[in-house]
Amino acid sequence: DSCIQFTRHASDVLLNLNRLRSRDILTDVTILVNRQQFRAHKTVLMACSGLFYTIFTDSHKCNLSAISLDPKVDPEGFAILLEFMYTSRLTLKESLIMSIMNTAIYLQMDHVVDTCHRFIKTSDPS
Amino acid sequence: YEGVNTIKEMGRSIHEIPRQD
């Protein structure tokens, strides 16, 4: 038996999901972070974040069309993590690393938290 | 897929949704 593995398929699907997001096609939730709004697909959010998984698997919350995050969450940090969810690319800037990491802890994105820890360790000579 | 002969296809797998119409 043979199987053909399309090695680019996962990234091609993600690229298309990101295009759908940028055109606001079938996005089904608005995430409110302080005063900023981010449109996204619930399925992508819950596939990447433990917090969103818990929210959208709750039968009382899964139909919500808007979710407000803790006001302590930095919108810039959230924007970077949302971009990561849809692109696999995490933009780590030293000036934003703490807010990215704290937002990743809040969103329960454990592997991103680990990556932030490693980034902090390697950029801090002490 | 153990024991299955897997052939790698490196090209694009699906159509590309345009950035904007």
Side-chain angles (χ1 to χ4, degrees):
Chain A
D1 288 354
S2 289
C3 169
I4 299 180
Q5 184 184 356
F6 286 74
T7 57
R8 282 182 44 179
H9 185 66
S11 57
D12 286 346
V13 171
L14 198 62
L15 175 80
N16 276 349
L17 286 169
N18 200 29
R19 294 268 167 89
L20 293 175
R21 176 175 71 114
S22 66
R23 291 169 58 185
D24 207 18
I25 295 173
L26 286 182
T27 49
D28 51 3
V29 69
T30 301
I31 307 300
L32 305 162
V33 190
N34 288 306
R35 287 183 196 147
Q36 287 199 44
Q37 300 187 2
F38 301 88
R39 294 284 295 160
H41 303 94
K42 288 176 184 174
T43 49
V44 174
L45 296 176
M46 69 193 296
C48 299
S49 148
L51 176 78
F52 285 123
Y53 177 82
T54 304
I55 292 172
F56 296 127
T57 48
D58 180 330
S59 58
H60 299 292
K61 295 179 184 165
C62 65
N63 290 319
L64 291 174
S65 57
I67 303 276
S68 290
L69 299 189
D70 187 311
K72 288 194 288 267
V73 172
D74 175 19
E76 261 193 292
F78 181 78
I80 286 168
L81 290 173
L82 185 62
E83 194 68 19
F84 163 73
M85 293 184 201
Y86 277 90
T87 64
S88 332
R89 286 188 294 274
L90 184 66
T91 309
L92 289 183
K93 298 174 189 167
E94 284 201 41
S95 59
L96 278 173
I97 186 68
M98 290 313 292
S99 71
I100 294 167
M101 188 170 74
N102 288 332
T103 307
I105 292 168
Y106 173 74
L107 294 177
Q108 295 162 32
M109 298 172 70
D110 299 340
H111 302 291
V112 173
V113 175
D114 292 344
T115 301
C116 291
H117 270 303
R118 282 202 301 276
F119 182 81
I120 291 166
K121 267 191 184 172
T122 53
S123 52
D124 178 8
S126 64
Chain B
Y1 293 106
E2 211 171 323
V4 172
N5 179 27
T6 303
I7 301 159
K8 299 256 185 211
E9 168 56 59
M10 313 298 277
R12 208 180 159 78
S13 66
I14 44 174
H15 71 109
E16 185 174 341
I17 290 173
R19 286 172 196 273
Q20 284 297 327
D21 286 328

